[in-house]
Amino acid sequence: MELHAHVIIIILSSIVILSYFFTLISNKTNIPSVLLLISTGIGIKYLSAHYGYVEKDVDVLVKTLGAIGLIMIILEAALDLDVHKKKITLVRNSFLSALFIFLASALAIAYLLQSWLYEPFMTAFVYAIPMSIISSAIVIPSTNNLPHEKKEFIIYESSFSDILGIMVFNYFLMDNVLSFSSSLAFLGRVGLAIAVSILASVLLVYLLSKMEHSLKYFLVFAILSIVYASGELIHLPALLIVLVFGLVLNNSPKIVIKRYSHKVPLRKLIGVIDFMKSITAETSFLIRTFFFILFGYTINLRVLIEPDVVFIGSIIVAILLFIRFLYLRLILKTNLFPEIFLMPRGLVTILLFYSIPASKKLSTFNVGILFYVVVLTSIIMAIGLIFYKKEDKARYLKTTEENAI
């Protein structure tokens, strides 16, 4: 049975309206809107099957929307971050948190998969990498009700987790992993990505400040997307380019000194930044909506309740929670609530899993484990945010002010 074109328009528009209401519900209840979107996708799948519609293969669409969504979400987050000397400690702590928790989680999960599936450790490690990455696509939109300092820490940590995870994943897809030549090539790619990041960011900011045509913002998005996709094709950490561009653009009024103010008009640049934030947020909302609806559509609920999936998936989530607890409590020595619960797996996890080449595949791995980890970590985040009440927020702000004094 095929749908009429007008019916498809009504359905797509209804999904956008529904996603908007999910955002309102999320703001009131702290239930992440992405969890509601995934549930809606699952519901659409079973409703369409009930009414006789043929199930569609949407894997390619999920990958494409996921890649674009990742660009928009990282850009949206970067456009909210102010960089100055006072933030050095915050950036350092969030980077080290992302690095330590990611590596420790990946090693522990790889050891679990190796012991359970009797597979080579290096191949198991490739599968462990996606499940060790915090999803900025899920966690960043869920931080609206957090105090500013906690929100910034989560934004930086999840963004660094995405970037580090993608970099390490690309490295372990190389031949002769851990050899000197592979390590040297990897470091060269990172250095090239940093250089391209700075150059592309400066050029794009200059382009935005000079263009008079009103249709310039999606041109910049297109250029960013090309740079990102090209970087991924040659295994560059291209997400770093998107993050640096957002940071450079948002902080460009501080970067542009008086000597160059005649070349880059600050007043016009500030207007560009404000409009860029608005249109980025709108586009990110739209792409995120359809990505998580389609991701929910791909989930098979029967797979999620298989004994092996529940058992191994639960152990993996317990590992993730335990390592996060250890780092936040014993090393960073920070407040655990609600940060310990803000560790969802999602967009990057799914994209990297779909990108594993045939030569690195585990024939005995059940894909339901991946879906189970994504769903369960999102539910745990929802529980943490729901119990993060206003009095906790007020107490945190009061403590912060007292410490500052």
Side-chain angles (χ1 to χ4, degrees):
M1 189 182 297
E2 294 293 332
L3 290 175
H4 193 279
H6 295 124
V7 175
I8 294 175
I9 292 173
I10 292 171
I11 292 173
L12 294 179
S13 301
S14 299
I15 287 172
V16 173
I17 295 170
L18 187 64
S19 180
Y20 175 76
F21 281 110
F22 284 167
T23 302
L24 297 180
I25 293 170
S26 178
N27 291 335
K28 293 291 184 181
T29 64
N30 275 347
I31 298 174
S33 59
V34 292
L35 202 57
L36 299 174
L37 290 171
I38 291 172
S39 302
T40 302
I42 295 172
I44 290 173
K45 176 178 182 175
Y46 285 93
L47 276 176
S48 60
H50 177 74
Y51 287 103
Y53 292 100
V54 178
E55 184 177 334
K56 304 293 184 182
D57 184 2
V58 295
D59 285 353
V60 175
L61 191 54
V62 168
K63 293 178 190 178
T64 305
L65 280 176
I68 298 172
L70 189 59
I71 296 170
M72 300 307 303
I73 289 161
I74 293 295
L75 179 59
E76 182 185 9
L79 287 172
D80 280 334
L81 297 175
D82 293 318
V83 178
H84 47 74
K85 291 181 180 179
K86 294 180 180 179
K87 298 289 178 68
I88 292 176
T89 301
L90 173 65
V91 174
R92 182 197 64 205
N93 288 343
S94 57
F95 175 78
L96 292 176
S97 175
L99 178 63
F100 177 87
I101 293 174
F102 164 71
L103 290 178
S105 300
L107 289 169
I109 294 171
Y111 179 76
L112 172 67
L113 294 179
Q114 179 196 32
S115 304
W116 175 55
L117 300 176
Y118 302 102
E119 296 277 3
F121 182 82
M122 284 300 180
T123 310
F125 191 75
V126 171
Y127 272 70
I129 291 171
M131 290 185 283
S132 304
I133 301 172
I134 298 173
S135 172
S136 59
I138 293 181
V139 76
I140 288 175
S142 304
T143 59
N144 292 331
N145 294 326
L146 296 181
H148 185 67
E149 187 176 336
K150 284 179 177 281
K151 179 179 179 179
E152 282 196 317
F153 175 83
I154 295 300
I155 288 175
Y156 274 118
E157 183 195 29
S158 59
S159 299
F160 284 135
S161 183
D162 282 349
I163 293 167
L164 289 169
I166 292 172
M167 287 169 61
V168 173
F169 181 81
N170 286 334
Y171 174 70
F172 274 86
L173 293 187
M174 297 172 65
D175 296 326
N176 302 317
V177 175
L178 302 182
S179 67
F180 177 76
S181 58
S182 295
S183 300
L184 192 63
F186 178 72
L187 291 174
R189 289 173 182 174
V190 173
L192 179 60
I194 293 172
V196 171
S197 299
I198 296 171
L199 180 61
S201 300
V202 172
L203 289 176
L204 285 172
V205 169
Y206 181 77
L207 180 67
L208 276 173
S209 68
K210 287 296 183 180
M211 289 181 66
E212 299 294 337
H213 201 286
S214 58
L215 303 177
K216 54 188 173 185
Y217 301 101
F218 281 102
L219 172 63
V220 173
F221 294 149
I223 294 171
L224 267 181
S225 298
I226 290 172
V227 171
Y228 171 82
S230 301
E232 286 298 303
L233 286 175
I234 58 175
H235 303 301
L236 282 179
L239 205 59
L240 189 63
I241 299 170
V242 180
L243 180 65
V244 170
F245 169 69
L247 289 171
V248 170
L249 178 60
N250 192 44
N251 295 275
S252 53
K254 303 172 189 174
I255 298 172
V256 177
I257 57 178
K258 290 182 180 179
R259 188 188 306 175
Y260 298 103
S261 59
H262 65 285
K263 295 183 179 180
V264 182
L266 290 179
R267 184 177 299 177
K268 184 176 179 181
L269 199 55
I270 292 170
V272 166
I273 293 169
D274 291 339
F275 193 79
M276 192 78 162
K277 287 181 179 180
S278 175
I279 200 168
T280 301
E282 295 280 353
T283 309
S284 177
F285 164 79
L286 191 65
I287 294 172
R288 187 169 61 244
T289 293
F290 287 106
F291 172 81
F292 285 107
I293 289 280
L294 287 173
F295 173 62
Y297 183 83
T298 63
I299 293 177
N300 185 347
L301 289 180
R302 293 177 182 175
V303 174
L304 295 180
I305 59 175
E306 292 180 5
D308 282 352
V309 169
V310 174
F311 179 68
I312 298 300
S314 297
I315 293 177
I316 290 173
V317 173
I319 289 171
L320 297 174
L321 274 171
F322 179 68
I323 291 174
R324 189 163 180 81
F325 170 81
L326 283 181
Y327 186 83
L328 294 178
R329 189 57 156 175
L330 301 180
I331 300 177
L332 196 56
K333 296 179 181 178
T334 188
N335 189 297
L336 288 173
F337 191 65
E339 286 91 333
I340 190 172
F341 299 107
L342 304 184
M343 41 155 263
R345 271 53 186 167
L347 196 152
V348 177
T349 299
I350 300 160
L351 287 179
L352 294 188
F353 182 79
Y354 283 140
S355 302
I356 297 174
S359 60
K360 303 284 185 179
K361 292 280 187 183
L362 294 176
S363 58
T364 52
F365 184 84
N366 190 332
V367 70
I369 295 171
L370 181 85
F371 291 157
Y372 182 88
V373 170
V374 169
V375 172
L376 186 56
T377 52
S378 297
I379 292 173
I380 288 172
M381 183 184 74
I383 293 171
L385 289 173
I386 289 170
F387 282 95
Y388 183 70
K389 299 183 183 296
K390 291 182 179 180
E391 55 263 32
D392 296 317
K393 181 177 177 180
R395 190 183 302 116
Y396 172 81
L397 291 172
K398 183 178 179 181
T399 303
T400 303
E401 290 172 0
E402 290 174 351
N403 291 338
I405 294 172

